[in-house]
Amino acid sequence: MTYRFVVFDFDGTLADSFPWFLRTFNGLAGKYRFRPITPDEVDALRGLGSRELVAHLQLPMWKVPMVTAEMRRRMTEQVPEIPLFEGVDRLLVRLHEHGIETAVLTSNTRENVQRILGPHNTALIRHFECGVSIFGKEARFRKLVRRARADPARVLCVGDEIRDAQAAAAAGLAFAGVAWGYTRPDVLALHSKFAPFHTTGEIGDMLCG
């Protein structure tokens, strides 16, 4: 299948935000009364889905929107601390040169996403679907594809979490994972017909030939 429209997740897929996330998330544990993530359990927790992780941390679902909103606000103040993964700049240029349309669909804010991407990368991305609720990606995938007038059979969603894969599948879209994000690649591989990408160059090779 030739994919002509690629929908990227942002945090953990394009942006290397996990170290910042871990530090900031743990800093909110006392305020919102949930369990912080200890260094020795990080690898095991990277094998869990979002609902399992929330339950493990004893974070009530009704608090999740508040924690998410505060995380977004703090990221806005600390954008310079969050880099893009190596090769993202070149990948976006390569896709653009091959006429492949791109989008970002994320729980993060559009302001944060575009500041981290920078103006040149932002200009290469056609669509932004931001501020998605933690479990609301399926509906937003469908909305994005309709708005872009894309053929669902030619859409590839690229992300780093189990919820990304599940939402893409529920929306009838293909999914491919990345090995460098929040979820361990061996777990992510169980939710995709593709082996996880280990470099941004592999994404470009698959899509551009």
Side-chain angles (χ1 to χ4, degrees), residues 26-49:
N26 280 348
L28 297 178
K31 178 177 180 178
Y32 291 100
R33 299 176 183 243
F34 59 83
R35 288 181 53 191
I37 299 172
T38 61
D40 63 321
E41 65 180 348
V42 168
D43 189 61
L45 295 184
R46 289 182 65 225
L48 300 182

Side-chain angles (χ1 to χ4, degrees), residues 106-117:
T106 176
S107 298
N108 212 328
T109 67
R110 183 164 182 153
E111 177 188 3
N112 288 344
V113 169
Q114 294 187 339
R115 287 177 64 197
I116 294 169
L117 283 171

Side-chain angles (χ1 to χ4, degrees), residues 75-138:
M75 181 177 283
T76 300
E77 299 168 358
Q78 300 166 25
V79 159
E81 298 182 25
I82 302 169
L84 296 174
F85 284 106
E86 182 179 355
V88 166
D89 297 342
R90 174 58 190 150
L91 173 62
L92 294 176
V93 169
R94 189 176 179 187
L95 296 178
H96 180 74
E97 289 176 344
H98 280 77
I100 297 172
E101 197 168 353
T102 54
V104 168
L105 190 147
T106 176
S107 298
N108 212 328
T109 67
R110 183 164 182 153
E111 177 188 3
N112 288 344
V113 169
Q114 294 187 339
R115 287 177 64 197
I116 294 169
L117 283 171
H120 180 69
N121 289 328
T122 295
L124 297 174
I125 296 172
R126 182 76 179 273
H127 305 276
F128 289 88
E129 193 73 28
C130 301
V132 182
S133 67
I134 188 170
F135 299 115
K137 284 196 169 184
E138 176 191 347

